[in-house]
Amino acid sequence: MQQKLVVFSGAGISAESGIPTFRDANGMWGKYDAMKLASVGGFEEDPQAVLDFYNARRKNLLEVEPNHAHRVLADLEKQYDVTVITQNVDNLHERAGSSKVIHLHGELTKVTSSYNRLDTNCIKEYPLDVPIRLGDKAVDGSQLRPYIVWFGEYVDNMDLAEYLVKMADIFVVIGTSLVVYPAAGLVNYAHMEIPKFLIDPNDMKGGMPVGFEHIKAKAVEGVDVLVRRLKEMEE
Ligand code: APR
């Protein structure tokens, strides 16, 4: 029986694919106002600005590729039962070949209703090069919006994510600052005695979570260190 390897990823894993993170130097929230562009209030106040912001990010997704880190995690499926729990709204894990990916904060490839965003009849794949326009309607007749979890909105996959981390035999955190909750709380659900790794070139602002080995490297190098560590553990 393959060991369950659960990966929890954030913006840092896609940084080397050319997608900026949120809180690093040159991060998105240093340039854009998160409350204006990633909240229900902001969408009500200036929907065009929000649609422009996400349409640009959707279009940019066509111009980037998965990197070595995404590919190595997909490749680990040969030896492990791998599940990726990601805060990222890009589709780079899937494009790299990861077969089990859970998005906590939504997906840029999808749209939904601005009346009830969790209505599964309204959640649709939407071509990345087709801008979401004011006046575009969801199935329920409401204004179409990106299928993204905005600040203050309920994160609907958390129960499943907590269960998967609890069941993990190996837990890997990669490229997240662990400052956004409830997602950041996932580090507390992994069993104390299992091997836990955190891949990040920087120190964690809130301090390292207990029991994690810090692989202090960028994702692309850090995953190779991870593979070596996993091999050593097998021996
Ligand atoms: N490789 C690995 N990690 C990296 C790299 C890299 N090349 N570059 C930066 N990092 C690390 C940073 O040190 C930081 O710890 O990635 C982390 C990025 O943190 P954030 O920008 O805060 O991104 P994230 O943790 O994913 O944000 C969480 O916040 O804005 C919301 O919904 C959005 O999902 C997002 C959530």
Side-chain angles (χ1 to χ4, degrees):
M1 177 105 120
Q2 287 185 318
Q3 284 197 299
K4 288 184 177 27
L5 190 154
V6 175
V7 176
F8 175 44
S9 71
I13 194 172
S14 296
E16 291 154 283
S17 292
I19 301 180
T21 65
F22 296 96
R23 294 174 186 82
D24 289 304
N26 305 323
M28 263 189 260
W29 298 147
K31 253 170 39 188
Y32 302 103
D33 182 333
M35 281 310 128
K36 277 216 173 75
L37 297 173
S39 74
V40 172
F43 190 58
E44 282 160 2
E45 205 176 297
D46 188 350
Q48 190 58 61
V50 173
L51 292 180
D52 291 347
F53 176 66
Y54 284 99
N55 284 334
R57 291 178 64 190
R58 298 175 69 247
K59 199 155 171 288
N60 175 247
L61 198 43
L62 291 168
E63 292 143 19
V64 298
E65 295 293 333
N67 60 51
H68 176 67
H70 297 105
R71 290 193 293 272
V72 165
L73 296 178
D75 211 45
L76 281 170
E77 293 190 11
K78 291 185 185 124
Q79 292 127 285
Y80 299 93
D81 173 4
V82 181
T83 301
V84 175
I85 301 169
T86 188
Q87 297 168 88
N88 299 345
V89 294
D90 65 52
N91 59 355
L92 298 182
H93 282 299
E94 291 91 338
R95 285 164 56 189
S98 284
S99 60
K100 290 199 272 185
V101 182
I102 294 162
H103 289 266
L104 296 179
H105 295 160
E107 300 172 65
L108 284 171
T109 56
K110 296 178 180 171
V111 293
T112 189
S113 149
S114 50
Y115 174 64
N116 173 6
R117 69 184 170 87
L118 296 177
D119 179 347
T120 49
N121 298 317
C122 294
I123 300 169
K124 304 270 180 227
E125 293 283 342
Y126 208 70
L128 290 167
D129 55 356
V130 177
I132 308 168
R133 293 176 307 244
L134 273 185
D136 287 346
K137 300 287 183 222
V139 174
D140 62 3
S142 70
Q143 167 64 48
L144 211 54
R145 62 165 270 186
Y147 181 65
I148 301 290
V149 180
W150 286 330
F151 287 103
E153 291 192 310
Y154 170 70
V155 177
D156 51 298
N157 281 334
M158 273 312 289
D159 295 344
L160 173 59
E162 287 162 9
Y163 170 76
L164 289 164
V165 175
K166 271 186 208 153
M167 302 307 287
D169 298 308
I170 301 167
F171 187 43
V172 178
V173 173
I174 181 166
T176 175
S177 58
L178 295 177
V179 298
V180 174
Y181 286 79
L186 280 177
V187 295
N188 305 319
Y189 287 85
H191 275 285
M192 283 309 287
E193 73 281 348
I194 69 165
K196 295 183 283 290
F197 302 92
L198 185 142
I199 301 175
D200 198 301
N202 302 308
D203 290 323
M204 305 312 292
K205 295 194 182 71
M208 276 291 289
V210 178
F212 281 75
E213 177 179 333
H214 190 177
I215 297 176
K216 204 167 182 182
K218 291 185 171 182
V220 164
E221 293 102 38
V223 289
D224 292 339
V225 177
L226 173 71
V227 169
R228 280 202 298 279
R229 293 287 295 111
L230 293 173
K231 272 212 183 79
E232 286 163 13
M233 284 168 24
E234 298 272 332
E235 281 149 17

